Amino acid sequence: MDTPPFLDTNRPDVPNMVVSGGVTPFYLERSPVRGRLVRLGPLADAILSRHDNPDAVSQLGGEALALVAAMVSALKFKGAFSLQVKGDGPVSMLVTDATDSGDLRFFARLRDDADRDALPETAKSLLGDGYMAFTIDQGPDMDRHQGIVDLTGTTLADMAVNYFQTSEQHDCWIRLFCAKSADGWKAGALVLERIAAEGGIETSEQDEDAWETACTLAGTVTEQEILDPDLSNERLIQRLFGTLDVRVGTPRALAYGCRCNRARLASVLETFPDDDLDHMVENGAITMNCEFCNVGFRFTRDELGAHSA
């Protein structure tokens, strides 16, 4: 007997992939600096290659995936961290999110009139004018926290730094990397955060110097280093910050994490009136496509009718 769609929670045919050391946290002793090194490994290609996007869009998507992976790893509770960007450029929407367990997903939407063969290369040119929204979801029993800022800066990293400085009043340093190689897409990030002084104590000149020094050293990192699979996370962190008494934390895993299934999509369809559902039927069925994993789900009208009865 076939499982009805509203009970079918099986995962679609997507990669079952986990990168055990996707995010490596670190901090500097006696300094107001903590950081995270993100390296997506084969996840970048597994996620990005499921979408028929031009390379410029995939590169932007890889940077966005590395960014949310870095941000979600700082959560101290069960939840998810998402990035949504909307603009008037060729890429009208970009969405990435990650759960506290490291599940990642992504999609981008091109405008119908966008020239896929002649897209600009910078994030600002691809996205145009619009807004960036970061959302922290702590589950159904808690209010969501969301911050929204205008798209300011040339790169996605610039835009993220502007968000944290203006919306969160929080100093950070961010570099995002994504490139296509013979082995597919690779992506990563290096993020530094300035820890606020306890008890409202003003920042000392020593702390200021420590932050500036850490940012200067972080700025020497290269794309080749970030994306080199033969260079271990700990070795790279030591190479960059070894002179500052750096301490490396426990790595955290990242995974292919689209959370769609037939039950979830069937519950969306059941909210439509019968007349609307009848108009959606083509060739005897309604087809819904998950924008994150690019998997299509097919529902017969009888299945949905039995569900809504």
Side-chain angles (χ1 to χ4, degrees):
M1 178 177 175
D2 293 335
T3 303
F6 60 93
L7 292 178
D8 187 357
T9 58
N10 287 332
R11 193 180 191 198
D13 184 19
V14 295
N16 185 16
M17 183 180 295
V18 176
V19 175
S20 59
V23 182
T24 302
F26 60 91
Y27 66 94
L28 305 183
E29 285 279 15
R30 298 176 296 279
S31 296
V33 182
R34 66 182 178 187
R36 291 179 296 284
L37 173 64
V38 179
R39 302 167 102 182
L40 270 61
L43 271 179
D45 192 66
I47 296 173
L48 296 174
S49 63
R50 292 190 72 86
H51 302 273
D52 183 25
N53 287 323
D55 284 356
V57 179
S58 293
Q59 181 175 344
L60 183 63
E63 293 179 0
L65 285 165
L67 176 61
V68 296
M71 296 301 107
V72 79
S73 64
L75 296 183
K76 306 299 183 184
F77 48 79
K78 293 286 186 180
F81 187 98
S82 67
L83 163 67
Q84 183 181 86
V85 183
K86 286 188 177 182
D88 60 6
V91 178
S92 61
M93 178 181 291
L94 182 147
V95 179
T96 55
D97 68 25
T99 66
D100 61 282
S101 58
D103 292 337
L104 292 168
R105 60 182 186 171
F106 150 83
F107 83 85
R109 187 176 299 156
L110 275 171
R111 295 191 182 280
D112 292 338
D113 59 354
D115 186 348
R116 297 172 60 92
D117 297 322
L119 290 176
E121 295 184 356
T122 68
K124 179 60 176 177
S125 298
L126 284 168
L127 298 168
D129 293 324
Y131 71 84
M132 165 183 283
F134 282 116
T135 304
I136 299 175
D137 186 347
Q138 302 181 59
D141 298 327
M142 300 288 288
D143 292 335
R144 290 185 175 187
H145 170 74
Q146 186 176 70
I148 302 174
V149 296
D150 293 337
L151 297 177
T152 300
T154 302
T155 67
L156 187 63
D158 293 338
M159 297 173 187
V161 169
N162 175 66
Y163 167 83
F164 286 107
Q165 288 178 339
T166 59
S167 181
E168 304 292 334
Q169 287 79 52
H170 182 56
D171 286 335
C172 62
W173 183 100
I174 299 173
R175 290 292 181 275
L176 306 172
F177 303 88
C178 184
K180 192 175 185 180
S181 70
D183 299 324
W185 288 99
K186 298 179 180 180
L190 182 61
V191 175
L192 300 182
E193 292 183 89
R194 184 170 181 169
I195 304 171
E198 296 183 3
I201 300 173
E202 293 186 5
T203 302
S204 68
E205 184 176 344
Q206 182 178 358
D207 286 348
E208 189 77 29
D209 290 344
W211 171 249
E212 293 295 334
T213 300
C215 292
T216 299
L217 293 177
T220 66
V221 73
T222 66
E223 179 178 272
Q224 182 179 358
E225 289 176 314
I226 290 286
L227 304 182
D228 183 0
D230 297 323
L231 179 60
S232 71
N233 294 355
E234 184 167 357
R235 184 180 173 191
L236 177 53
I237 292 170
Q238 290 289 346
R239 177 185 291 183
L240 292 170
F241 305 106
T243 60
L244 300 182
D245 204 7
V246 64
R247 296 290 183 266
V248 179
T250 303
R252 298 182 59 171
L254 297 173
Y256 193 108
C258 190
R259 300 184 289 284
C260 69
N261 56 54
R262 284 177 63 80
R264 188 185 299 271
L265 296 181
S267 68
V268 173
L269 285 173
E270 76 166 342
T271 64
F272 288 86
D274 286 342
D275 287 347
D276 289 348
L277 291 175
D278 290 338
H279 281 94
M280 294 180 193
V281 175
E282 293 185 2
N283 299 320
I286 297 173
T287 300
M288 292 186 71
N289 195 70
C290 174
E291 291 189 283
F292 287 103
C293 66
N294 206 24
V295 170
F297 294 83
R298 182 179 172 87
F299 302 89
T300 67
R301 187 65 182 88
D302 289 341
E303 285 177 318
L304 296 171
H307 184 197
S308 59

